[in-house]
Amino acid sequence: MSEQLSELGKRLQELKVSFESPEIPLLGIKGGEYDIQRFIYWNFLKCFYNEELGWDTSVITNFDWYSPSNAKRFSEEEFKKLGSDNALSLVYFHKEEACFGARFEKSKV
């Protein structure tokens, strides 16, 4: 299934189609311009594909989305707490639809 979803994501991306979506609050869809692959990915079906990361990473990413026993989605608060619980200070924080990213440094004691 992960390979099939990667193939779907790849084919949608190759269409190179963008459009302006209206905001649809009841479905949690934000209005704005979307590439068709990203619109489907963000709102309906995780079918990840990234040419720069390659086929194997795309397949693994899709596997992670659909393997709940292997996947955990942290809230922003939980994510930041992981750093502080491990004596790390937050230097940089990045937030987007799919994930959080951060740079931490060892806390000065």
Side-chain angles (χ1 to χ4, degrees):
M1 182 173 131
S2 300
E3 290 179 343
Q4 293 165 345
L5 290 170
S6 298
E7 183 63 31
L8 175 61
K10 181 177 186 284
R11 290 183 189 195
L12 288 169
Q13 200 173 73
E14 287 171 348
L15 292 173
K16 300 195 183 313
V17 172
S18 293
F19 72 101
E20 187 76 26
S21 175
E23 186 163 328
I24 308 171
L26 287 174
L27 295 178
I29 296 174
K30 297 176 184 174
E33 186 168 328
Y34 288 92
D35 167 281
I36 191 71
Q37 186 270 336
R38 280 312 201 184
F39 180 76
I40 291 170
Y41 175 85
W42 288 126
N43 298 296
F44 300 105
L45 173 73
K46 299 299 183 209
C47 52
F48 181 81
Y49 181 76
N50 183 313
E51 186 174 344
E52 290 179 15
L53 297 177
W55 178 256
D56 291 339
T57 300
S58 296
V59 171
I60 289 167
T61 301
N62 284 310
F63 177 82
D64 284 346
W65 273 110
Y66 291 100
S67 298
S69 64
N70 296 329
K72 165 77 170 108
R73 189 79 190 235
F74 292 97
S75 69
E76 182 176 338
E77 183 179 297
E78 290 172 319
F79 181 84
K80 289 177 176 177
K81 189 173 182 315
L82 288 171
S84 62
D85 287 351
N86 288 283
L88 300 172
S89 298
L90 183 63
V91 175
Y92 169 80
F93 183 75
H94 173 78
K95 177 180 178 179
E96 62 181 64
E97 295 282 338
C99 65
F100 304 113
R103 186 170 40 248
F104 294 93
E105 68 183 7
K106 190 173 184 179
S107 296
K108 295 170 178 61
V109 180

